[in-house]
Amino acid sequence: MSGSEERSRGRVIFTRDGVRRGAVTSVPLLIGMVPFGLVIGVLSAAKGLSFAEAVLMSTFVFAGAAQLVVLELWTDPAPILAATIAALVVNIRMAPMGAALAPWLDKLRGWKLWGTLSTLVDHSFALGIAEQRAGGRDAGFLLGVGLCIWVGWVATVAAGHLGGGLVRVPPGHPLFFASIAAFLSILVPLWRGPRLDLLPWGVAALVAIAAHRAALPVPLPLLLGSFAGAGLGAWMEMRGRGMPGWKDASRG
């Protein structure tokens, strides 16, 4: 095989089939997303947001954790600055996600790039990274995942707002665990084995739990845990690149 053929085989592409495959792959995640979206919809109604306001927020913000934090802060008059800063702090984790997906994102332009970035969430990131590690080169897969989750999110928030006065689910109901289970499930394709991931993941969990027990306000436990785990993981990866067997371990 010539050098030009090898480069062509490794070239990043963007196809309709990739978008369709990404959307189909993400469908099972919608099951765990439904309770979370319903809660956001119900909370939006309880805070006095109109149906249009709740739907527009979900359409353009499209970040469940950020929306939840903002709604918890929501009063009359609305604390615009505080809510904006809270959403920024929660969503700052998207920056390292974009950096990790750079092998695909750097090759996109125009609506393909901005459409993918605007629909990037934890779920699409996890599935996209897993697809990359498996040798996938169709960046349309990432947009397909994001679009499917985006449509499902807006629909469930809208349903939650409309049914907010009809259904009362008590705090601590098992239904609320479905969204947590969905986030846990997306970790499965990211796991590369204990040698590479056990320590960073463990540190992230311990730091987040310690921050929560220290009564630090939301979203500090999430952010501190994320940065602690990501920092340790990046240091281990940089340190391990020159070690024998590192490439095999990272693929496994």
Side-chain angles (χ1 to χ4, degrees):
M1 182 181 297
S2 67
S4 61
E5 289 175 332
E6 289 181 359
R7 287 192 294 272
S8 178
R9 285 174 61 88
R11 180 171 55 89
V12 174
I13 60 177
F14 190 102
T15 68
R16 291 183 179 179
D17 182 66
V19 174
R20 179 195 59 79
R21 190 164 56 85
V24 171
T25 302
S26 67
V27 168
L29 294 177
L30 297 179
I31 299 173
M33 189 186 68
V34 168
F36 196 13
L38 292 176
V39 168
I40 295 296
V42 171
L43 187 56
S44 298
K47 290 289 186 175
L49 272 68
S50 68
F51 177 78
E53 289 170 338
V55 170
L56 286 174
M57 179 175 67
S58 299
T59 300
F60 292 108
V61 177
F62 185 40
Q67 289 178 238
L68 183 60
V69 170
V70 168
L71 288 171
E72 290 290 343
L73 295 173
W74 202 266
T75 57
D76 188 15
I80 303 298
L81 180 60
T84 301
I85 293 175
L88 176 63
V89 170
V90 172
N91 287 335
I92 200 172
R93 71 187 190 283
M94 298 295 176
M97 288 184 185
L101 291 167
W104 279 356
L105 298 178
D106 285 352
K107 306 300 187 299
L108 302 181
R109 296 292 183 273
W111 67 267
K112 296 177 181 179
L113 174 62
W114 295 112
T116 301
L117 288 175
S118 63
T119 56
L120 179 64
V121 290
D122 301 270
H123 302 69
S124 54
F125 167 75
L127 293 180
I129 286 294
E131 179 74 5
Q132 276 190 4
R133 289 176 180 172
R137 59 190 183 91
D138 193 337
F141 177 88
L142 187 59
L143 178 60
V145 175
L147 284 175
C148 183
I149 295 175
W150 176 63
V151 171
W153 176 253
V154 175
T156 53
V157 171
H161 191 283
L162 290 174
L166 302 177
V167 180
R168 298 294 181 184
V169 180
H173 191 279
L175 183 64
F176 291 109
F177 182 72
S179 60
I180 300 175
F183 278 100
L184 291 175
S185 69
I186 66 177
L187 295 176
V188 176
L190 295 178
W191 178 254
R192 296 175 297 175
R195 179 180 177 185
L196 295 174
D197 290 333
L198 182 60
L199 187 57
W201 290 25
V203 167
L206 290 174
V207 170
I209 293 172
H212 175 70
R213 288 186 174 275
L216 294 182
V218 175
L220 287 180
L222 171 66
L223 288 175
L224 292 175
S226 298
F227 283 118
L232 178 58
W235 178 79
M236 290 176 59
E237 190 159 330
M238 292 176 61
R239 182 173 178 270
R241 285 184 184 275
M243 297 177 62
W246 178 85
K247 289 185 177 180
D248 293 335
S250 64
R251 290 171 184 164

Short mmCIF file of all heavy atoms in Angstrom, two decimals, residues 13 22 24 26 48 78 94 102 106 109 118 130 150 163 170 187 193 202 212-213 221-222 236 247-248:
data_model
loop_
_atom_site.label_atom_id
_atom_site.label_comp_id
_atom_site.label_asym_id
_atom_site.label_seq_id
_atom_site.Cartn_x
_atom_site.Cartn_y
_atom_site.Cartn_z
N ILE A 13 -13.61 11.72 7.74
CA ILE A 13 -14.69 11.99 6.80
C ILE A 13 -15.93 12.42 7.57
O ILE A 13 -15.98 12.35 8.80
CB ILE A 13 -15.01 10.75 5.93
CG1 ILE A 13 -15.44 9.58 6.83
CG2 ILE A 13 -13.80 10.37 5.08
CD1 ILE A 13 -15.86 8.33 6.05
N GLY A 22 -24.73 7.38 14.31
CA GLY A 22 -24.60 8.00 15.62
C GLY A 22 -25.94 8.17 16.31
O GLY A 22 -26.07 7.93 17.51
N VAL A 24 -28.68 6.38 15.81
CA VAL A 24 -29.20 5.07 16.21
C VAL A 24 -28.47 4.56 17.46
O VAL A 24 -29.08 4.00 18.38
CB VAL A 24 -29.04 4.06 15.05
CG1 VAL A 24 -29.36 2.65 15.52
CG2 VAL A 24 -29.94 4.45 13.88
N SER A 26 -27.24 6.25 19.87
CA SER A 26 -27.56 7.01 21.08
C SER A 26 -28.97 6.75 21.60
O SER A 26 -29.28 7.20 22.72
CB SER A 26 -27.41 8.51 20.80
OG SER A 26 -28.38 8.95 19.87
N GLY A 48 -41.95 29.41 37.47
CA GLY A 48 -42.69 30.46 36.78
C GLY A 48 -42.32 30.67 35.34
O GLY A 48 -42.82 31.62 34.71
N ALA A 78 -35.05 37.79 38.13
CA ALA A 78 -34.07 36.75 37.81
C ALA A 78 -32.64 37.26 38.01
O ALA A 78 -32.30 38.35 37.56
CB ALA A 78 -34.26 36.29 36.37
N MET A 94 -16.65 21.38 29.14
CA MET A 94 -16.73 21.11 27.71
C MET A 94 -15.42 21.44 27.00
O MET A 94 -15.15 20.91 25.92
CB MET A 94 -17.86 21.92 27.08
CG MET A 94 -19.24 21.60 27.61
SD MET A 94 -19.73 19.89 27.21
CE MET A 94 -21.30 19.79 28.08
N ALA A 102 -10.35 16.68 19.27
CA ALA A 102 -9.68 17.46 18.24
C ALA A 102 -9.33 16.68 16.97
O ALA A 102 -9.40 17.23 15.87
CB ALA A 102 -8.41 18.11 18.81
N ASP A 106 -10.93 19.21 14.39
CA ASP A 106 -9.99 20.04 13.65
C ASP A 106 -10.15 19.90 12.14
O ASP A 106 -9.68 20.76 11.38
CB ASP A 106 -8.55 19.70 14.03
CG ASP A 106 -8.16 20.24 15.39
OD1 ASP A 106 -8.96 21.02 15.96
OD2 ASP A 106 -7.09 19.87 15.90
N ARG A 109 -15.43 22.03 9.17
CA ARG A 109 -15.59 23.44 8.91
C ARG A 109 -17.08 23.76 8.79
O ARG A 109 -17.90 22.89 8.52
CB ARG A 109 -14.89 23.85 7.59
CG ARG A 109 -13.38 23.67 7.60
CD ARG A 109 -12.70 24.64 8.55
NE ARG A 109 -11.24 24.52 8.51
CZ ARG A 109 -10.54 23.67 9.24
NH1 ARG A 109 -11.17 22.87 10.09
NH2 ARG A 109 -9.23 23.62 9.13
N SER A 118 -22.26 22.63 19.06
CA SER A 118 -23.45 23.11 19.77
C SER A 118 -24.28 21.98 20.35
O SER A 118 -25.07 22.20 21.27
CB SER A 118 -24.33 23.95 18.83
OG SER A 118 -24.80 23.17 17.75
N ALA A 130 -15.21 6.78 22.32
CA ALA A 130 -15.19 5.33 22.13
C ALA A 130 -15.09 4.98 20.65
O ALA A 130 -14.36 4.05 20.26
CB ALA A 130 -16.46 4.71 22.74
N TRP A 150 -30.32 15.87 21.59
CA TRP A 150 -30.88 17.22 21.65
C TRP A 150 -32.40 17.20 21.43
O TRP A 150 -33.15 17.80 22.20
CB TRP A 150 -30.21 18.09 20.61
CG TRP A 150 -30.75 19.48 20.49
CD1 TRP A 150 -30.74 20.45 21.45
CD2 TRP A 150 -31.38 20.05 19.35
NE1 TRP A 150 -31.32 21.61 20.97
CE2 TRP A 150 -31.73 21.39 19.67
CE3 TRP A 150 -31.68 19.58 18.07
CZ2 TRP A 150 -32.37 22.24 18.76
CZ3 TRP A 150 -32.30 20.42 17.16
CH2 TRP A 150 -32.65 21.74 17.53
N GLY A 163 -46.80 18.60 31.94
CA GLY A 163 -47.37 17.70 32.94
C GLY A 163 -46.99 18.02 34.37
O GLY A 163 -47.28 17.24 35.28
N PRO A 170 -42.29 12.33 44.41
CA PRO A 170 -41.63 12.78 45.64
C PRO A 170 -40.12 12.76 45.53
O PRO A 170 -39.56 11.95 44.78
CB PRO A 170 -42.11 11.76 46.69
CG PRO A 170 -42.45 10.54 45.89
CD PRO A 170 -42.99 11.04 44.59
N LEU A 187 -19.81 5.59 30.92
CA LEU A 187 -18.42 5.35 31.30
C LEU A 187 -17.91 4.02 30.76
O LEU A 187 -16.69 3.85 30.59
CB LEU A 187 -18.29 5.35 32.83
CG LEU A 187 -18.58 6.66 33.55
CD1 LEU A 187 -18.48 6.45 35.06
CD2 LEU A 187 -17.62 7.75 33.11
N GLY A 193 -9.20 -0.04 31.14
CA GLY A 193 -8.53 -0.99 32.02
C GLY A 193 -7.97 -0.31 33.25
O GLY A 193 -7.76 0.92 33.27
N GLY A 202 -10.67 7.02 40.28
CA GLY A 202 -10.81 6.93 41.72
C GLY A 202 -10.55 8.26 42.40
O GLY A 202 -11.28 8.66 43.32
N HIS A 212 -18.18 17.38 48.44
CA HIS A 212 -19.60 17.36 48.79
C HIS A 212 -19.80 17.27 50.30
O HIS A 212 -20.64 17.96 50.88
CB HIS A 212 -20.28 16.18 48.09
CG HIS A 212 -21.73 16.00 48.48
ND1 HIS A 212 -22.71 16.87 48.09
CD2 HIS A 212 -22.34 15.04 49.24
CE1 HIS A 212 -23.87 16.47 48.58
NE2 HIS A 212 -23.68 15.37 49.28
N ARG A 213 -19.00 16.41 50.95
CA ARG A 213 -19.11 16.26 52.39
C ARG A 213 -18.64 17.52 53.13
O ARG A 213 -19.06 17.77 54.26
CB ARG A 213 -18.30 15.05 52.85
CG ARG A 213 -18.94 13.72 52.46
CD ARG A 213 -18.17 12.54 53.05
NE ARG A 213 -18.85 11.28 52.81
CZ ARG A 213 -19.80 10.79 53.59
NH1 ARG A 213 -20.19 11.48 54.65
NH2 ARG A 213 -20.37 9.63 53.31
N PRO A 221 -18.16 20.55 43.81
CA PRO A 221 -17.72 19.15 43.92
C PRO A 221 -17.50 18.51 42.56
O PRO A 221 -16.50 17.80 42.34
CB PRO A 221 -18.87 18.48 44.68
CG PRO A 221 -19.47 19.58 45.49
CD PRO A 221 -19.38 20.79 44.62
N LEU A 222 -18.42 18.76 41.61
CA LEU A 222 -18.29 18.22 40.26
C LEU A 222 -17.03 18.74 39.58
O LEU A 222 -16.24 17.97 39.00
CB LEU A 222 -19.52 18.59 39.44
CG LEU A 222 -19.45 18.29 37.93
CD1 LEU A 222 -19.39 16.79 37.69
CD2 LEU A 222 -20.63 18.90 37.20
N MET A 236 -0.43 11.13 33.85
CA MET A 236 -0.07 9.72 33.68
C MET A 236 0.14 9.38 32.21
O MET A 236 1.04 8.63 31.84
CB MET A 236 -1.16 8.84 34.28
CG MET A 236 -1.24 8.87 35.80
SD MET A 236 -2.62 7.88 36.45
CE MET A 236 -2.20 6.26 35.80
N LYS A 247 1.15 1.91 24.50
CA LYS A 247 0.22 1.99 23.38
C LYS A 247 -0.77 0.82 23.39
O LYS A 247 -1.95 0.98 23.13
CB LYS A 247 0.98 2.00 22.04
CG LYS A 247 1.74 3.30 21.81
CD LYS A 247 2.36 3.32 20.43
CE LYS A 247 3.05 4.66 20.19
NZ LYS A 247 3.68 4.68 18.84
N ASP A 248 -0.26 -0.36 23.70
CA ASP A 248 -1.15 -1.52 23.76
C ASP A 248 -2.18 -1.36 24.87
O ASP A 248 -3.35 -1.70 24.72
CB ASP A 248 -0.34 -2.81 23.98
CG ASP A 248 0.53 -3.15 22.78
OD1 ASP A 248 0.17 -2.71 21.67
OD2 ASP A 248 1.55 -3.84 22.97
#
